[in-house]
Amino acid sequence: MSQGAQGRRGGNDWLREALPKIVLSPSLAMVLIFVYGFIIFTFYLSFTDSRILPSYELVGWENYSKLFRIRAWDTAVSNLVIFGGLYIVICCALGLALAILLDQKIRAEGFIRTIYLYPMALSFIVTGTAWKWFLDPGIGLQAVVRSWGWESFTFDWIKDGDMAIYTIVIAAVWQTSGFVMAMFLAGLRGIDNEVLKAAQIDGASNVALYRRIVIPQLRPAFMSAFVVLAHMAIKSYDLIIALTGGGPGTATELPATFMYSYTFTRNQMGIGAASATIMLMAIAAIMVPYIYSELREKK
Amino acid sequence: MSSNASATVVRTGAGSRFVIYTLLILFCLYYLLPLYVMVVNSLKPLSEIQAGGMMALPDEWTLAPWASAWSTAQIGVEATGLRPFFVNSIVMVVPAVAISTVLGALNGYVLTKWRFRGDTIIFGLLLFGCFIPFQMVLIPMARMLGIVGLAGTVPGLIFVHLVYGIGFSTLYFRNYYQQFPTELVRAAMIDGAGFFTIFRRIMLPSSGPIAVVCVIWQFTNIWNDFLFGASFSDFDSQPMTVALNNLVQSSTGVKEYNVHFAGAIMAALPTLLVYIVAGRYFVRGLMAGSVKG
């Protein structure tokens, strides 16, 4: 290297050192502003008297105390508990069952897997539209069964305030259970077959093999499935909009739809921000420990 | 799902195998049912659906619902059909996917091969950003897009999807590059290769599979998004999902179920095609997004 180049070397070294950070910085800046900055902004708004527009007048915990007195929020939270609980439990049970069945050296396994998983590629709006009309008593399942001759057959959950939330569960399980199946199947494929063979020689029944040996080893898959499903349940928005629009009345309102309607149609931005903050807290309670443990293990 | 891992060694008798196959086929029917309903009813006249024939094959086959959904159906207040919104979605998806994938690749490269103090924390910050409820950013984002004049435009939507897509694309490339032998990168550094040369000559040539995974994931997510589309677009810039919802929910006149089903298939077709053509990569993306690594 010539003398002239030597002079620039200091600069080059600095650049060499800093270049990776420079490359990373636009992404980091975007995330810091548009994720964390915006979170702080919304959090701040939840303590202000913002209505149609953001206001910076602080009102303490008023929005939160108002929020907990609103009946629709109550409905939204208890709906989330019902929906989330059933959604997680049914998806896991169905996913595990299908994975175990598919793991029995099935012919055309790949083909069947493809069929179980394709709903995951669809938009919740598409899923919602399909199920909305299929469950509609006027033209869907109920009308079809009646036209087949069973005149008194009734299936009108989607129009029934007490039952409509379960139609959300039906459609959501349809969409996601194949994915949960894939997660469990991957877990099953990771299990050491030698242990199973040994237990078989000892005369253990198939049921015992699965209960004692296989399923306990699927703990990581259960963990992942739980985290993914819980986080999807809390964020559920599109499906409700497409399937029931939150109705009948407010019967299928969830926190996500509540936040949207209070903020953008009812012009109660402070209360909307408070509800969004509570959603974030719920998600953080699930995701932060999960991400933390994942990143620690990787070190 | 790696193909080298084998199925269970648990043995099953002929009777239980019959039960297993029956169950598996029944579930195939369960998963295919809504698709069947959509396809069949998009090809029959409205009167057949109204007469309770939703499960039956069409008596009279017709493509009219498809034509109507594509070009004449009432979306909101105007009878434009879904075509302009399909175009919106394409125009929105392509740059958002391309840019977020490139940035994700660079970020993943930095975070694994040019490590520095605090890089894990930065990755954690990026990662958590993928999972936040987006309700938490809707209000400030709407304000900001308004201030910079991007509210209600397709570029505004591209920007939003880019910002909230970076976390996942970084996750994919980081986990992938972590498996890549660092010795190769070290050797190239000693030979005097610079940051971008190493990326172009050494990392990129072996990044094919993960790039496919990332593109498919971003494409599916952004195409299927509804929340951002509903929040930040106006009539002319709404994406396909929002337009479909407006078509289905519009309360004026007779409900044209067959047109709704045709529209729903149109909205589903691009992601479904990707899934059928590259399902393996789609599943890998799903898994990497949940069971990290």
Side-chain angles (χ1 to χ4, degrees):
Chain A
M1 215 168 270
S2 73
Q3 282 292 94
Q6 202 72 325
R8 275 194 324 212
R9 252 203 106 139
N12 269 339
D13 275 353
W14 177 84
L15 190 66
R16 224 185 135 98
E17 191 83 336
L19 193 55
K21 290 171 195 162
I22 294 172
V23 168
L24 191 63
S25 55
S27 304
L28 183 61
M30 276 201 271
V31 169
L32 284 181
I33 297 170
F34 300 116
V35 175
Y36 297 96
F38 279 9
I39 286 176
I40 292 167
F41 186 84
T42 305
F43 184 65
Y44 180 81
L45 286 186
S46 73
F47 293 100
T48 66
D49 62 353
S50 304
R51 302 193 51 105
I52 188 163
L53 288 173
S55 138
Y56 302 98
E57 208 65 49
L58 287 168
V59 293
W61 292 93
E62 201 180 298
N63 288 321
Y64 290 89
S65 63
K66 268 190 201 156
L67 178 66
F68 287 112
R69 286 200 306 271
I70 296 172
R71 172 129 4 117
W73 174 254
D74 231 40
T75 315
V77 172
S78 42
N79 275 341
L80 179 61
V81 173
I82 297 172
F83 164 70
L86 286 173
Y87 174 60
I88 294 171
V89 169
I90 298 175
C91 273
C92 281
L94 191 59
L96 179 63
L98 291 176
I100 290 177
L101 292 179
L102 256 189
D103 196 32
Q104 312 298 326
K105 301 201 185 70
I106 296 302
R107 246 186 258 176
E109 183 206 311
F111 180 70
I112 297 176
R113 232 172 34 203
T114 306
I115 290 176
Y116 288 0
L117 243 150
Y118 86 89
M120 239 0 233
L122 303 180
S123 151
F124 274 116
I125 302 294
V126 172
T127 303
T129 304
W131 283 97
K132 179 189 180 75
W133 296 143
F134 183 70
L135 296 173
D136 188 280
I139 55 157
L141 188 61
Q142 177 179 310
V144 169
V145 174
R146 285 188 182 180
S147 79
W148 287 344
W150 183 355
E151 297 288 342
S152 61
F153 177 81
T154 304
F155 189 74
D156 56 357
W157 286 8
I158 200 164
K159 301 278 187 205
D160 177 343
D162 292 328
M163 303 304 284
I165 189 70
Y166 301 104
T167 63
I168 311 269
V169 178
I170 294 174
V173 165
W174 177 81
Q175 174 125 355
T176 338
S177 47
F179 172 40
V180 179
M181 180 276 301
M183 285 161 81
F184 281 122
L185 195 56
L188 286 173
R189 296 287 152 87
I191 284 175
D192 183 8
N193 274 336
E194 296 307 313
V195 185
L196 283 179
K197 277 181 192 155
Q200 257 175 344
I201 292 165
D202 290 346
S205 72
N206 281 355
V207 176
L209 283 183
Y210 275 101
R211 262 193 44 206
R212 300 270 169 73
I213 303 178
V214 176
I215 293 177
Q217 286 193 60
L218 290 176
R219 263 184 65 137
F222 271 109
M223 269 307 293
S224 308
F226 173 79
V227 169
V228 170
L229 293 171
H231 137 269
M232 284 179 75
I234 297 172
K235 283 165 85 166
S236 285
Y237 175 75
D238 320 11
L239 183 62
I240 285 91
I241 296 297
L243 192 63
T244 63
T250 58
T252 52
E253 207 78 64
L254 284 186
T257 59
F258 175 95
M259 183 275 167
Y260 199 92
S261 64
Y262 264 73
T263 308
F264 296 110
T265 47
R266 291 177 182 236
N267 300 325
Q268 299 275 358
M269 194 175 277
I271 291 175
S275 65
T277 304
I278 291 173
M279 288 176 67
L280 177 75
M281 298 299 174
I283 295 233
I286 297 165
M287 293 310 300
V288 169
Y290 186 66
I291 291 179
Y292 184 72
S293 70
E294 291 275 336
L295 290 182
R296 264 176 70 99
E297 279 165 28
K298 288 284 148 55
K299 271 203 168 161
Chain B
M1 269 162 283
S2 49
S3 47
N4 56 355
S6 59
T8 185
V9 294
V10 172
R11 282 184 295 257
T12 38
S16 43
R17 290 199 76 73
F18 177 76
V19 175
I20 290 172
Y21 273 99
T22 311
L23 282 172
L24 287 173
I25 291 168
L26 280 178
F27 273 102
C28 282
L29 296 181
Y30 162 69
Y31 286 110
L32 287 173
L33 179 74
L35 187 64
Y36 168 82
V37 167
M38 283 198 281
V39 173
V40 162
N41 289 290
S42 73
L43 295 169
K44 64 173 77 152
L46 188 57
S47 56
E48 287 184 32
I49 302 178
Q50 288 163 332
M54 188 177 262
M55 297 302 288
L57 288 172
D59 283 331
E60 182 197 333
W61 296 79
T62 168
L63 279 173
W66 281 75
S68 166
W70 183 244
S71 53
T72 60
Q74 189 92 7
I75 311 290
V77 286
E78 280 180 63
T80 55
L82 289 169
R83 181 176 42 195
F85 310 110
F86 193 90
V87 174
N88 281 347
S89 272
I90 301 262
V91 172
M92 168 183 86
V93 159
V94 172
V97 170
I99 301 171
S100 65
T101 304
V102 170
L103 283 178
L106 286 168
N107 293 344
Y109 170 52
V110 171
L111 290 171
T112 53
K113 302 301 169 210
W114 298 81
R115 302 197 57 175
F116 53 89
R117 267 176 68 94
D119 59 356
T120 310
I121 294 171
I122 289 181
F123 179 59
L125 286 173
L126 287 172
L127 200 55
F128 183 67
C130 299
F131 298 102
I132 60 161
F134 292 122
Q135 279 73 16
M136 204 61 194
V137 298
L138 288 184
I139 300 169
M141 187 53 97
R143 289 283 286 173
M144 199 228 47
L145 290 175
I147 290 166
V148 300
L150 285 176
T153 66
V154 175
L157 284 179
I158 295 174
F159 175 76
V160 172
H161 284 301
L162 173 62
V163 167
Y164 299 109
I166 285 180
F168 265 118
S169 57
T170 304
L171 164 71
Y172 287 139
F173 282 97
R174 176 190 176 271
N175 285 354
Y176 186 77
Y177 287 155
Q178 219 164 29
Q179 318 293 327
F180 188 89
T182 304
E183 298 75 42
L184 276 180
V185 178
R186 288 258 164 73
M189 277 181 207
I190 291 163
D191 288 347
F195 179 84
F196 286 109
T197 315
I198 296 175
F199 182 64
R200 229 182 31 243
R201 298 269 172 77
I202 300 180
M203 305 305 282
L204 270 192
S206 66
S207 304
I210 200 64
V212 176
V213 167
C214 182
V215 165
I216 288 177
W217 171 271
Q218 298 285 13
F219 175 81
T220 310
N221 260 0
I222 298 174
W223 183 276
N224 287 342
D225 160 73
F226 177 77
L227 182 62
F228 289 146
S231 307
F232 305 132
S233 67
D234 58 19
F235 182 78
D236 292 320
S237 59
Q238 55 185 320
M240 190 66 177
T241 47
V242 178
L244 172 65
N245 191 52
N246 285 340
L247 168 72
V248 175
Q249 310 289 350
S250 78
S251 45
T252 49
V254 189
K255 281 202 166 36
E256 296 185 291
Y257 306 111
N258 49 357
V259 176
H260 299 172
F261 285 125
I265 299 174
M266 283 173 197
L269 221 45
T271 52
L272 217 46
L273 265 179
V274 167
Y275 175 66
I276 291 165
V277 172
R280 203 156 46 93
Y281 292 100
F282 177 81
V283 178
R284 270 178 58 182
L286 274 178
M287 307 295 280
S290 54
V291 204
K292 283 171 231 81

